[in-house]
Amino acid sequence: MAEQQCKNCGNNFWGKYCNICGEKVYTEKDKTLGHIIGEGLHFLTHFEGKFFNTLKVIFLRPGKLSLDYCNGIRKKYFKPLSFFLMLVILYLLFPVFQGLNMKLEYHVTHNLYGNFASSEVASILNVTHVSAATLAESFHRAGEKTSKFLLFLIIPFVALFSWLLGYRKRKLYYDHFVFTIETCSFFILWGFLILPLFVILLNLITNIRINSENSIGFFILGVFAIYTMAASKRFFNFSWLYSILYAILMPVFLAGFIEYIYKFILFYIAIKLA
Ligand SMILES: [Zn+2]
């Protein structure tokens, strides 16, 4: 094979792909209809293969996705942040699950910012003269999509906490960021997609009614803690004791973050949009 000049970036190189930008060398043979259809199908199967491979690794080998990704083994996986985005979109497509979109009533009685929330609501009612019920309704509608997109906020905060907890391992914030995407992907899959689906099915098939929000919340966090223990052990190479500590503190931090920071931001944005 002769030396090629890249059509995309002008670099001279040997082989089938440009070593600077990755552009492929196309020949006459590549310019058939069959080829372009094949390429399209290849993208689909490739996309699907990577997606399910990533999903499988997240469930079956906690921590491995982050470990591989940070060690430069990336081709066989979906990019972690894109994967997380896909999950949020999937979650957006299932409006049956309320998840974290709390009613206005919940916010105004919140033990931390409840007073602030009720005075905000009172001043809006004062200015606009809409009824409290109408405001509550439009607030709920505004919160529906917002609550899901705000899930992205969790990652940088949790990664920072992880960085502090795992400080003595001297890993970069980047590594914690990747690891947090993995554990939060599991959190969304498990807590917002799989478990709610299971509860709905249980309600349809049997007479068992699960209506205690708190017990569901604890169950979600409990499973998340076990997952985090296994994942942090593999990724950080912690001792068992330290991974247990990490796995107890992480869900506590996550729950606290959601309860006090996330919900406050959600209230603040949704009330402005309402
Ligand atoms: Zn090039």
Side-chain angles (χ1 to χ4, degrees), residues 4-13 17-21:
Q4 307 269 355
Q5 189 180 37
C6 178
K7 294 241 168 48
N8 184 43
C9 73
N11 167 48
N12 289 316
F13 66 100
Y17 295 90
C18 171
N19 65 329
I20 301 284
C21 73

Side-chain angles (χ1 to χ4, degrees), residues 181-195:
I181 293 173
E182 184 185 347
T183 52
C184 287
S185 296
F186 174 81
F187 183 73
I188 290 183
L189 277 164
W190 155 244
F192 296 154
L193 295 168
I194 296 172
L195 191 70

